Amino acid sequence: MGADWLLGVLACAAVGGYAALTSIHAGDSRGWNAFADIGELLAAALATFACALRVRRERQVRAGTSVLREATGGESSASAQRHGQLGWSLLGAGIAAWTVAQLITCIYEIGLERQLPEPSLADGAFLIGYLLIVAGLLAFVRTPAGLLSHLRGAVEALFITCGFVLCSWSLVVGSFVTDLAHLSLAGAVNLSYPLLDAVALSAVFFVALYRRADPLIGLGLLSIGICLSAVSDSAWWYITQVNAHPPLVTPLEAGWVASYLAIAIAALRAGEARPRRESASVRRSALILPSLPAAGGVLILTAEWLTHGHVQSPGLLLGILMASVLLGVALLMIVSYENHALTGYLERRVEQRTTELRRTERYYRALVHNSSDIVMVIDSSMRIRYVSDSSASLFGSARDGLLGRTLEVFGERAAAALAEGVARTVRDAGHVARVEWELTDAAGEARCAESAISNLLGDPHVSGFVLNTRDDTDRAALASQLRDQAFHDPLTGLANRALLGDRASQALARAARGASLVGVLVIDLDAFKLVNDGFGHAAGDELLRAIAERLQSTVRPEDTVARFGGDEFVVLMDACQETADALELAERLRDAVHQTLEIDDVEHRVSASIGVAVGGPPETNFEQLLCDADVALYAVKRAGRNAVELFKSSMHQNARERFNLQSELRSAIEEGELRLHYQPEFSAAGGQLEGFEALVRWQHPRHGLLAPDAFIPLSEETGLVVPLGRWVLREAFKQAAAWTSAHGRGRQLLIAVNVSAVQLKAPTLIDDVREALQSSGVDPRRVVLELTESSFIDATAEIIDTLRSLKALGVSLAIDDFGTGYASVSMLQAMPIDILKIDRSFVDSIDDGARGNELLEAIVNIGHALSLVTIAEGVELSSQLRTVRELGCDLVQGYLLGRPLPVDEANEVIAEHAGRSPRLIARRAGAKAGQLMP
């Protein structure tokens, strides 16, 4: 808007200055004539350029809205944009024709210093420009669709044109043109100017009439510009008729410059026009507007006749009047026919709309009566005035049995709930109250319903409260079921963690008021995995349900038993008076769990480990008690399970230390703090050095050198034993290969590496061993992997496959600590084992008498019977060495012969036995131990 005002101010200033100069210097000065001609040429060129910019902008707008038009179906918008682009294109072409005419004028009057001939090319360009401008103006008009509407528009345009021509002829032309039959070509061309001016004014009037409700951007300025041009043309034509030699420079030049600048500003205006809302009186008065030009012409003729007693060119004027009258009559007939057609159309639309409303009414009535939802209308006294037919599905009563009765027909509680909802809508008339209520149907069954209550007392068609009610019984039942599932364990029906936490909060609140304690007992079933693996998960689930029943029957009614998942249960002991009460309950629970259970004709006896924590507010809360009980439970498991342990504050310190140790162990693996020591193994018969067992140590930065017992159990619990074992394999195999390289192929020593039960189950073990063998280059026949006897507790098919895959790599397998676990003779036969490493407890029993020797001898004989190499470990006394040699053990190991040594000291041991080559004696042909021989 600011730019438009600025352009207007500049244009007014330019026109004012131009008008002042041409007025002051009016006359026949060729210099000022050149000034006037060039000014008109520049103004016309500016208007042409502005129209070109407007056409470009209209094209961009049309292209930019094509996608939106396709999505919304905006055909009327598309038509308006097409009309706008065409109109401005024709206007631009017309102004360009005028610019060419001005250029021709400048060439003649300035360049050639001659007057334009009559007629000239400039006249042709001016007249063509008029026709294009009129066509451009008419392009802005959009008549309604239909042949009759187009015909009315054409007749109306001709009627207006006749009126303006009549005015122009009466005021200007008629005084000078009396004989049209003898007009020369120059005279005809000259006469065309005022007539085309009248046509241009008619077009402006016609466009303004049709676009009054939807005005075109810049239409006002455009109309002013064309009117200024038409008035200036007619005035100039009048001057030329009065004065045969008019002056070259006149103030009329400013009229043409002003018209060009007004058209230019109109073309440059941007924005969107705002449609106007017209009142009915304005629309009715607009019907007489087309007759105003003709009426004006008649008044001018009447005034001339009254003044002079006659009129000029009466025949021509009579013809124009007759044409105007005929066109006016035709316009009235068309309007009358349109009104008649419109009346018939409106009557048909009313009838059609009435039919649609009746159909819609029947449709919604059918929906209401056949919907599963129930619609009721009650009055202010809570009596039912209307109820839909679907009431029988929920209430069990037909609608006739409910009409006229109060809401108490559904029960007192239902009536009270609905009355409260109605009261809410009374307090807030625009509020829709939603009420969930319970009722008893006609059959005496309890049902749930949900109603949306609207206050329509102010609606004269309803005058009541509308209740939209649906049967909510199934949803309420499902919601209750979901709430139960959200707070109970689905397998046992016990409370879950969420419900236990809520009850613990209540128990702690009561304990704070009553100065009592709250106990938390965490129960874990020992070796429950064996039941699942041995008898299936169905048997395991049945066992858990039976255990849950026993726990529930053992506790007090005010206590809560919960299951946290798996085989872990938690008991919340409410109002515990002292710690002894919690410990007593824990013992009763452990005894209850330990009793024999029969599932699918199989007797099961399971034990339980229980951690106990007791406390009260404000010193503790439920999460802290649960954590403390977990710590106590862990202490039970470390001590051997099947016991009860009360939490002590020192346990937290131990737990923190273990956590820190775990973090440090992870760093130790990554930062190279681990060390390998090597304990020698000797031939029992000849005393030759046969090899070494690699034993890991941890060079802790604060605690010094730590033995395996300080960190290996923790590594097995956390899974760190897998990367730790991978490191041990690589380092031990690398060292064995180094010894072979340093002492020659004839001095190859065995290297034994321990593999834990956790490693044995890891999916990466085979790849770890293969990679360590390949990277080190050690002979696989010199490698022994020692497996603890406890590793064979779960001797599943996967474990056996893993052992066979390890054997396929060429290494030997040994059972470590044999005699303390679960291995049987049949298991030894089935397993791909090469070596029995007899537990040190049997070596220690040698000094206990003959029975100790007999046990050791039996184990050695079993090994030899199965063609296994036997190794006695823990030999610390000469008598023990002598006995194991006499009993036939193949290899011996112990502090008597050598402690675990760093690698440099192990090198010294190798050097001491340099002259005695290692050799394992094959006790029998085809013995498994044969592969261990050099």
Side-chain angles (χ1 to χ4, degrees):
M1 182 62 70
D4 292 341
W5 277 104
L6 179 60
L7 287 175
V9 170
L10 292 176
C12 290
V15 172
Y18 185 86
L21 291 173
T22 54
S23 298
I24 295 171
H25 300 284
D28 295 329
S29 171
R30 291 198 175 273
W32 285 104
N33 182 43
F35 168 77
D37 288 343
I38 292 173
E40 291 179 32
L41 176 61
L42 293 177
L46 179 62
T48 303
F49 180 71
C51 288
L53 291 179
R54 181 60 177 262
V55 171
R56 180 183 179 186
R57 191 172 70 210
E58 292 287 338
R59 186 183 299 114
Q60 291 174 346
V61 170
R62 182 181 177 189
T65 57
S66 60
V67 176
L68 178 62
R69 185 169 64 248
E70 291 176 4
T72 60
E75 291 300 326
S76 60
S77 176
S79 177
Q81 291 172 357
R82 285 196 299 270
H83 280 271
Q85 182 179 342
L86 177 60
W88 282 107
S89 298
L90 292 172
L91 282 171
I95 301 300
W98 283 359
T99 305
V100 172
Q102 291 291 350
L103 179 60
I104 294 172
T105 302
C106 288
I107 292 173
Y108 269 91
E109 294 184 353
I110 300 174
L112 302 178
E113 295 185 353
R114 293 171 50 190
Q115 290 293 324
L116 281 170
E118 292 185 3
S120 66
L121 292 176
D123 291 320
F126 272 123
L127 297 179
I128 291 173
Y130 269 114
L131 296 176
L132 291 172
I133 288 173
V134 170
L137 287 171
L138 295 178
F140 290 131
V141 176
R142 291 176 294 155
T143 57
L147 179 60
L148 189 63
S149 296
H150 294 327
L151 180 61
R152 174 184 172 178
V155 170
E156 207 162 33
L158 291 174
F159 183 55
I160 293 172
T161 302
C162 287
F164 274 100
V165 170
L166 182 60
C167 291
S168 177
W169 197 276
S170 302
L171 289 174
V172 181
V173 180
S175 301
F176 304 100
V177 180
T178 57
D179 188 4
L180 295 176
H182 297 89
L183 277 177
S184 63
L185 176 60
V189 171
N190 199 19
L191 180 61
S192 300
Y193 280 95
L195 294 179
L196 287 176
D197 288 334
V199 173
L201 291 173
S202 303
V204 170
F205 188 85
F206 183 71
V207 172
L209 181 65
Y210 267 80
R211 295 298 296 262
R212 64 184 187 278
D214 182 20
L216 180 72
I217 288 292
L219 178 60
L221 285 173
L222 180 62
S223 300
I224 292 173
I226 294 174
C227 289
L228 285 172
S229 178
V231 171
S232 298
D233 274 348
S234 297
W236 177 251
W237 185 87
Y238 182 83
I239 291 173
T240 59
Q241 298 303 312
V242 173
N243 187 358
H245 300 285
L248 295 178
V249 180
T250 67
L252 288 176
E253 312 283 349
W256 286 306
V257 172
S259 70
Y260 292 139
L261 293 180
I263 293 172
I265 296 175
L268 293 175
R269 288 199 63 188
E272 296 182 359
R274 296 180 181 179
R276 299 171 182 170
R277 299 180 63 87
E278 293 182 334
S279 62
S281 60
V282 172
R283 288 195 296 270
R284 285 193 298 270
S285 63
L287 295 176
I288 65 173
L289 291 178
S291 63
L292 290 181
V298 172
L299 290 176
I300 294 171
L301 285 177
T302 303
E304 184 179 356
W305 182 77
L306 292 175
T307 303
H308 301 94
H310 66 279
V311 293
Q312 302 292 335
S313 305
L316 179 62
L317 293 175
L318 181 60
I320 297 174
L321 282 173
M322 290 302 297
S324 298
V325 171
L326 291 175
L327 289 170
V329 171
L331 184 59
L332 288 175
M333 293 176 62
I334 293 172
V335 171
S336 299
Y337 183 80
E338 276 189 329
N339 290 336
H340 177 74
L342 179 61
T343 302
Y345 171 76
L346 291 177
E347 290 177 351
R348 290 192 300 273
R349 285 293 296 159
V350 169
E351 183 179 355
Q352 180 183 358
R353 185 59 179 161
T354 301
T355 303
E356 290 177 357
L357 289 174
R358 290 173 180 170
R359 187 184 300 114
T360 303
E361 181 183 0
R362 290 194 297 269
Y363 172 77
Y364 283 109
R365 183 181 291 112
L367 284 181
V368 169
H369 287 293
N370 294 283
S371 172
S372 59
D373 288 0
I374 303 166
V375 179
M376 286 192 301
V377 179
I378 61 175
D379 58 20
S380 56
S381 62
M382 301 296 130
R383 291 190 178 275
I384 302 172
R385 285 177 26 210
Y386 170 83
V387 63
S388 58
D389 292 339
S390 53
S391 60
S393 62
L394 175 61
F395 304 142
S397 302
R399 61 191 302 268
D400 294 338
L402 298 174
L403 293 175
R405 303 185 66 179
T406 64
L407 293 178
E408 292 184 354
V409 68
F410 304 123
E412 292 184 0
R413 292 179 58 188
L418 292 174
E420 193 275 332
V422 168
R424 274 186 280 155
T425 64
V426 171
R427 291 192 297 269
D428 185 359
H431 175 68
V432 177
R434 299 192 176 276
V435 179
E436 294 181 0
W437 50 290
E438 298 179 357
L439 69 147
T440 303
D441 62 15
E445 296 183 2
R447 308 294 294 270
C448 295
E450 182 183 29
S451 295
I453 306 175
S454 303
N455 183 356
L456 297 182
L457 286 173
D459 189 337
H461 300 93
V462 180
S463 299
F465 300 94
V466 178
L467 283 70
N468 289 289
T469 304
R470 63 183 181 90
D471 189 349
D472 203 37
T473 305
D474 293 339
R475 189 203 64 80
L478 178 61
S480 176
Q481 181 181 354
L482 291 176
R483 282 194 299 271
D484 186 71
Q485 292 177 356
F487 293 104
H488 292 84
D489 173 52
L491 177 64
T492 62
L494 297 176
N496 62 8
R497 189 186 190 101
L499 181 57
L500 184 68
D502 180 71
R503 292 187 177 176
S505 299
Q506 299 177 27
L508 287 168
R510 287 191 293 269
R513 293 192 298 269
S516 59
L517 301 173
V518 173
V520 174
L521 292 70
V522 179
I523 305 169
D524 187 80
L525 303 183
D526 300 329
F528 174 74
K529 186 175 183 298
L530 294 177
V531 179
N532 275 340
D533 293 345
F535 300 94
H537 287 277
D541 291 346
E542 187 63 32
L543 178 65
L544 289 174
R545 282 191 286 267
I547 294 297
E549 292 178 1
R550 288 188 176 181
L551 295 177
Q552 191 68 57
S553 62
T554 303
V555 301
R556 302 172 303 173
E558 61 267 27
D559 299 334
T560 301
V561 182
R563 177 173 175 248
F564 275 18
D567 59 347
E568 186 177 55
F569 298 86
V570 178
V571 175
L572 174 69
M573 188 176 184
D574 195 359
C576 178
Q577 299 302 318
E578 53 186 19
T579 302
D581 296 338
L583 291 174
E584 180 185 354
L585 176 60
E587 290 293 348
R588 291 203 311 271
L589 292 171
R590 189 170 69 90
D591 293 341
V593 170
H594 195 58
Q595 295 176 12
T596 303
L597 286 169
E598 185 173 324
I599 300 173
D600 295 334
D601 299 328
V602 177
E603 291 188 353
H604 298 270
R605 288 177 66 89
V606 295
S607 60
S609 301
I610 304 178
V612 181
V614 179
E619 291 81 9
T620 188
N621 54 39
F622 172 63
E623 292 298 331
Q624 186 60 52
L625 286 174
L626 187 62
C627 177
D628 294 345
D630 266 330
V631 172
L633 174 65
Y634 183 79
V636 175
K637 290 182 177 181
R638 291 192 62 193
R641 303 176 185 269
N642 191 23
V644 174
E645 184 70 39
L646 178 66
F647 171 77
K648 304 178 185 64
S649 58
S650 59
M651 292 180 179
H652 264 315
Q653 181 63 29
N654 295 336
R656 281 193 292 269
E657 290 177 357
R658 288 177 59 80
F659 177 79
N660 294 335
L661 191 64
Q662 172 189 339
S663 301
E664 293 171 350
L665 179 58
R666 191 183 304 275
S667 300
I669 298 173
E670 297 171 353
E671 298 177 6
E673 296 177 1
L674 300 179
R675 305 285 184 270
L676 283 184
H677 285 197
Y678 300 91
Q679 187 172 19
E681 296 178 341
F682 296 92
S683 169
Q688 298 94 340
L689 176 65
E690 296 289 344
F692 290 93
E693 178 182 5
L695 300 171
V696 67
R697 300 290 188 268
W698 181 5
Q699 189 63 51
H700 195 280
R702 290 184 291 106
H703 303 299
L705 191 66
L706 298 181
D709 292 344
F711 60 90
I712 290 298
L714 178 62
S715 71
E716 290 181 330
E717 292 175 14
T718 60
L720 289 175
V721 72
V722 174
L724 187 151
R726 185 182 301 119
W727 180 86
V728 171
L729 288 170
R730 292 174 181 172
E731 293 297 317
F733 291 3
K734 187 195 312 181
Q735 185 58 53
W739 284 333
T740 299
S741 176
H743 300 286
R745 302 288 297 177
R747 189 61 184 167
Q748 293 189 9
L749 299 170
L750 296 175
I751 186 69
V753 178
N754 291 286
V755 176
S756 75
V758 177
Q759 277 182 280
L760 189 61
K761 295 178 182 179
T764 61
L765 176 62
I766 298 172
D767 291 335
D768 291 343
V769 175
R770 182 187 295 111
E771 192 276 332
L773 289 172
Q774 292 174 351
S775 63
S776 65
V778 70
D779 186 351
R781 295 177 300 171
R782 293 297 173 181
V783 173
V784 178
L785 300 180
E786 297 186 2
L787 312 170
T788 60
E789 192 176 5
S790 61
S791 301
F792 299 97
I793 295 177
D794 300 327
T796 61
E798 289 80 5
I799 296 295
I800 297 175
D801 289 342
T802 300
L803 296 177
R804 289 172 178 167
S805 298
L806 291 173
K807 284 292 295 178
L809 296 177
V811 303
S812 300
L813 301 180
I815 294 183
D816 196 11
D817 300 330
F818 180 76
T820 61
Y822 302 87
S824 62
V825 175
S826 60
M827 182 182 294
L828 292 178
Q829 287 179 310
M831 296 293 178
I833 301 300
D834 304 290
I835 300 172
L836 284 184
K837 199 166 185 180
I838 304 169
D839 186 70
R840 65 182 301 137
S841 61
F842 294 99
V843 175
D844 292 340
S845 66
I846 290 175
D847 298 330
D848 294 341
R851 187 170 182 80
N853 292 351
E854 291 173 357
L855 286 174
L856 182 59
E857 183 178 11
I859 294 174
V860 172
N861 290 336
I862 289 173
H864 292 164
L866 297 175
S867 300
L868 304 177
V869 173
T870 56
I871 301 177
E873 61 177 341
V875 176
E876 299 181 356
L877 302 174
S878 300
S879 58
Q880 294 173 342
L881 176 61
R882 184 171 54 253
T883 300
V884 298
R885 182 182 293 126
E886 292 172 353
L887 293 178
C889 282
D890 298 307
L891 301 178
V892 292
Q893 179 186 18
Y895 281 9
L896 177 66
L897 303 172
R899 292 175 175 271
L901 305 170
V903 65
D904 53 346
E905 296 182 20
N907 288 332
E908 295 177 0
V909 173
I910 295 174
E912 292 174 2
H913 293 78
R916 307 173 68 183
S917 299
R919 185 170 65 89
L920 289 180
I921 301 174
R923 301 184 62 85
R924 294 168 181 78
K928 289 185 180 181
Q931 68 174 343
L932 299 176
M933 294 183 63

